[in-house]
Structure formats: C-alpha cells, structure tokens
Amino acid sequence: TTLMTLAEKMPKTELHLHIEGTFEPEQMFELATRNKVTLKYASVDELKAAYQFTNLQDFLDLYYQGMSVLLKEADFYDLTMAYLRKVHSENVVHVEIFFDPQGHLSRGVSFETQITGIYRALQDAEQQWGMSFKLIMSFLRHLSEESAFDTLELAKPFLHWIDGVGLDSSELGHPPEKFQQVFKACQDLGLKVTAHAGEEGPPEYVWQAIDLIKVDRIDHGNRALEDMNLVASVKEKQLTLTVCPLSNLKLCVVEDLSDHPIKHMLALGLKATVNSDDPAYFGGYMNDNYRALIKDSGIDKAELYQLAHNGIEGSWMSNEQKAAHL
Ligand code: ADE
Ligand code: ZN
C-alpha cells in the first residue's frame, strides 16, 4: 500500500477542530433559508470566492459571519452530525471538538441550545459508530476575562458534558496572561485546559500558556520553534502540539507546505499531531491534511505512524481507551 492509502485507512484522532469551522457553504445556505436569515453573499460560489485569507483575522471575520445562521438546537445538531459523518468515513475514531459559546450568546442563542445540539450529535455518533469524543468550551480571547467568567457561569449546569476549556480567536494583542484567573477557576472545577498559542503570536505567548495557564496541551505552537529553551520546556513537559497544516497554509502561517515545521517538530522530539482546525474554510478535513503532508512536506512512513500515535497519546481519552487504540 502507498503512504496515502495507509494515511486514509489508519485510525485517527482529531484534537483541534472548531465545530463552527466545519460549516460548509452549501449547509450554511440551507440553514439560512430554513431560519429565514439573509447572508451577505448571493450564492455558494460567491461565498467560496471570499475564502482567501492573508492572516487569522481575515478568516475570523468570515467565520463569525458564517456562524450567525446557527439559531436553533437542530442547527447545532445538523452541523455537528454532518462533520462527524464526514470524518467517520475518513476513519477518525475519536474527536475532541471546540465550540465558541460567546460567538452565539452574543446573538441571543442560549448556552443550552448550543450545547444540547452539539452533544446529542456526539452521543449519536458514539452509539452508531463507536466514535468516542470530548467536548471543549473555548473562550474568545478578543473579549474580556469577565466575559469568559460569565460564560463559565452559564456552563455550570452542563459541566458533566464538558471535558475541557480552550482559548481561541485573535491571538495578537491577547496574551494568555489576560485569562489567568478564569483558567485557574476552570482547573479548580476539574476541567482540562488547552490554549491556541504560537499560531501568530510570539514564543512569549507559548511560555505564558505553559507557565501561567498551565495548559495540558498547546494548539498550534508553531512559533515555539523560535526559542530553543521553549522547545526544551515543551519537550520536557511532554506537551502535545495540535498542529493544523492546511490551516497554517490558508492563514499564511507558512508560505508553502514544503516549509511546514511539522517534520522538524518530530525530529526535535515534540509530540506533534495532525488536525484540521476549520476544515470547511481551509480546504480539507483530516485525510486532506495527511495527503497534503505526504505530497508536499515529504513525511515518511515512520513520521506518519508517529503523528497518528501522538494523536492517541495526546488525546484526553482514559489510559484504557488509549490502550485499545494503540
Ligand atoms: N477560531 C477558529 N479557528 C481558529 C484558529 N485557527 N485560531 C484562532 N481562533 C480560531
Ligand atoms: Zn483553532
């Protein structure tokens, strides 16, 4: 078998996936019609033509617009189920997905509406296909820490459905230190913690994620490679990096996948994993990310296995669950 076939067939985990980033234009128009919401774009093709980004903020502007058609529990269910069906067909066996409650609360959609729709889809996928899952509530870092605390209050009746918390949205100018108190409160509630760091932000933000937020893993982490002391620290703490190759390409974090640092991360002994971030916007789901790495970054069979292995090890599954996949 070729490396491509191997990548497609092997059991995989997804550890960095924003459910709102799986919104395919066709489904967005379908829900817009169903909810009688008018989109700024006249057609699927016009919307797709807007998917050209030069940085993270360009993308986020479109991402928040796109999610504005999500209003009812059924919308969150349908969005999540479409994603899970898709990755089930790609041999993804375990998913840890983010949702952005503040992106919906600001539009008058209750926390309960959001999480109930998403959670029901995750449960159905587990029942139908044995796909296991974790759910991660993510705080928007362009908003205040007070807003994150308000969101945590709203989450409290649903904590039995929530495994961890994350930190996403505009990185530059919004360092992890801004959220030190709220992450401490989350940890005291028994939640796992991760944060986007070093996607666009400097190595200092990765240091803060580790030292101040005390993250259990790091989302992206590309720019950690600029500081060898930081690399040593990430390695020593065995922190998993949820790397997103096609996302990095689309958001101009890398110029070309031949320059992507993922091979270098592995060579340094860092626990890099492959993830799709916002697949509807970045041109590909899990297998597309692996195919692109094989074709353009030259990853070999040993690296392929290492990446998949890291995805299981770095997940928040129990040791028993992990052992069943290794
Ligand atoms: N929200 C959705 N995708 C994101 C990313 N790649 N970085 C920061 N915030 C995000
Ligand atoms: Zn992300």
Side-chain angles (χ1 to χ4, degrees), residues 299-310:
I299 64 163
D300 62 23
K301 190 170 173 178
E303 289 165 330
L304 186 62
Y305 276 123
Q306 188 69 55
L307 289 165
H309 184 95
N310 290 349

Side-chain angles (χ1 to χ4, degrees), residues 16 18 196 220 277:
H16 184 156
H18 304 266
H196 285 52
H220 297 293
D277 206 4

Side-chain angles (χ1 to χ4, degrees), residues 45-105:
D45 286 341
E46 209 176 286
L47 176 59
K48 283 183 179 167
Y51 287 10
Q52 307 235 10
F53 316 113
T54 56
N55 56 39
L56 174 58
Q57 193 60 50
D58 267 359
F59 153 70
L60 289 170
D61 293 343
L62 208 69
Y63 168 84
Y64 294 119
Q65 268 185 55
M67 68 171 79
S68 71
V69 307
L70 295 167
L71 297 179
K72 310 233 164 59
E73 184 187 318
D75 304 336
F76 289 88
Y77 179 92
D78 291 348
L79 176 70
T80 307
M81 192 40 101
Y83 162 71
L84 295 170
R85 184 172 294 114
K86 170 87 187 163
V87 295
H88 171 60
S89 78
E90 297 195 342
N91 298 313
V92 171
V93 296
H94 176 82
V95 297
E96 307 200 350
I97 71 180
F98 293 113
F99 73 118
D100 281 335
Q102 290 153 299
H104 312 295
L105 290 167

